[in-house]
Amino acid sequence: MPHPFQSERTAFLIYLRTEKQLSPRTEDAYARDLDKFLAYCASRELSDLNTITVHHVRESLASLHRKGLTGKSLRRWLSSLRAFFRFGIRRGWLKTNPADGLQAPRVEKKLPKVLDVDQAGQFVEVKDDSPLGKRDHALLELIYSSGLRLAETIGLNVSDLDLSDGAVIVTGKGNKTRQLPVGKPARAALKAWLQERQHIAPADEPALFISQRGKRLSHRAVQLRLQQLSLKQGMDEPVHPHMLRHSFASHMLESSSDLRLVQELLGHANISTTQVYTHLDFQHLAKVYDQAHPRAQKKK
């Protein structure tokens, strides 16, 4: 059975792409969430947006919950629906938002895993003089030095680097750009990689990090490479790109105690997103306290 509201769905996705300027990955996430609800509408033979009520949204939410969707996925699904209905109100398709007032199941906040300073140093210091070894060294040093997301890292072009000033221009979520400092070890690793890169990259390839074939690295290629490097570098568990970003944020906050600075460096739109690292910082302080304070140590 074909889904209803296909023209409205198409108009909404065009709006997300052109006016909101969301990335293709984010747009796809909205589309998948919306399609789940449109499939429900088809099963209930709902063909008029104004006939959709809070009861329908709640029933669809409960059905997805029973199918095993996590609280995090359900919250995103509900957020996508609210955005679609708000768009419908502006277009005159709807009078009220039937998703308003509904809440998805609570999500237990899990603190991101981080490496301590010594572990981070051990991981990023790749001692491999092969061309791809120098690429891997530069890649890890830059992610940890500047706290980059994976998509930001593989999206970098050579022209985004200014090693003389020790800076990199990064395009983050919503196509927002920010300029970030690049530390001395990362600059040295990048210079070594750029010397090798010129022998691999085609003249028309702008990407900073490329494969052995001279093409821009993919998300999956970097994830797999970090899994291999985790073993090679003697890490206790696999290190993924976001763990390096989390470690950067935690170490910066631990040293500076400046939450606004860390927010700006990470490119977070809301400081509430950055505040998770204050919990990590407190955990570190609590551990030091337990080890150092004479009244905190349990007597045997």
Side-chain angles (χ1 to χ4, degrees):
M1 182 185 294
H3 294 173
F5 316 124
Q6 285 304 304
S7 61
E8 291 88 344
R9 174 191 184 275
T10 300
F12 177 61
L13 296 179
I14 290 173
Y15 159 76
L16 294 179
R17 187 184 318 127
T18 58
E19 293 191 40
K20 299 291 286 184
Q21 294 189 331
L22 299 185
S23 70
R25 287 166 64 89
T26 305
E27 182 188 331
D28 287 344
Y30 271 95
R32 288 193 300 271
D33 289 335
L34 190 53
D35 285 346
K36 289 184 177 73
F37 184 67
L38 297 186
Y40 164 85
C41 291
S43 70
R44 295 295 185 274
E45 296 184 351
L46 296 170
S47 57
D48 183 347
L49 278 176
N50 273 303
T51 62
I52 296 172
T53 67
V54 66
H55 164 75
H56 295 123
V57 181
R58 185 184 290 115
E59 188 177 60
S60 180
L61 177 69
S63 174
L64 293 172
H65 193 207
R66 286 193 299 270
K67 290 177 181 177
L69 256 69
T70 64
K72 183 178 180 181
S73 296
L74 290 172
R75 290 175 73 88
R76 193 196 67 192
W77 174 85
L78 198 52
S79 175
S80 298
L81 242 60
R82 287 197 185 102
F84 173 65
F85 291 141
R86 285 196 299 268
F87 177 73
I89 291 171
R90 288 198 296 273
R91 286 294 183 94
W93 304 333
L94 280 164
K95 294 178 181 177
T96 59
N97 191 329
D100 279 348
L102 280 183
Q103 290 188 344
R106 287 191 175 184
V107 181
E108 182 182 349
K109 283 192 176 180
K110 293 182 180 180
L111 295 181
K113 290 185 178 180
V114 298
L115 305 171
D116 64 31
V117 175
D118 291 336
Q119 288 173 325
Q122 174 187 337
F123 183 60
V124 303
E125 190 61 42
V126 178
K127 297 188 182 300
D128 182 347
D129 286 333
S130 69
L132 295 188
K134 291 180 179 179
R135 180 204 65 189
D136 293 341
H137 186 200
L139 178 79
L140 298 187
E141 288 279 13
L142 183 59
I143 293 175
Y144 179 55
S145 170
S146 304
L148 304 185
R149 298 178 177 95
L150 174 55
E152 293 170 345
T153 307
I154 63 173
L156 286 174
N157 294 326
V158 175
S159 59
D160 295 324
L161 274 180
D162 186 346
L163 294 181
S164 60
D165 273 355
V168 61
I169 295 175
V170 176
T171 302
K173 291 186 176 181
N175 285 327
K176 293 180 180 177
T177 60
R178 63 190 192 281
Q179 185 171 353
L180 298 172
V182 179
K184 187 175 180 181
R187 293 201 301 271
L190 284 163
K191 285 178 181 176
W193 160 236
L194 287 174
Q195 289 177 355
E196 299 290 348
R197 181 192 174 280
Q198 63 185 343
H199 302 301
I200 304 172
D204 59 347
E205 177 54 69
L208 174 60
F209 294 113
I210 57 174
S211 68
Q212 202 163 10
R213 296 179 178 181
K215 301 293 185 181
R216 186 184 298 271
L217 286 178
S218 66
H219 283 75
R220 189 61 182 151
V222 175
Q223 290 166 342
L224 289 172
R225 190 65 187 132
L226 261 65
Q227 288 179 11
Q228 296 165 357
L229 287 169
S230 299
L231 293 172
K232 183 179 178 182
Q233 298 297 91
M235 308 306 292
D236 295 332
E237 60 179 318
V239 178
H240 52 78
H242 230 58
M243 195 183 292
L244 278 180
R245 175 173 158 88
H246 292 321
S247 302
F248 160 84
S250 180
H251 300 163
M252 286 295 300
L253 187 60
E254 190 178 311
S255 301
S256 69
S257 300
D258 190 333
L259 193 62
R260 290 286 182 187
L261 168 68
V262 176
Q263 177 193 4
E264 186 173 337
L265 291 171
L266 292 174
H268 286 161
N270 298 313
I271 200 166
S272 59
T273 311
T274 319
Q275 282 175 330
V276 65
Y277 297 107
T278 63
H279 299 296
L280 290 171
D281 193 38
F282 177 78
Q283 282 189 340
H284 170 77
L285 292 175
K287 185 178 179 181
V288 172
Y289 174 86
D290 288 341
Q291 293 172 346
H293 197 289
R295 300 291 286 178
Q297 298 173 25
K298 294 180 180 178
K299 294 182 180 179
K300 294 183 180 179

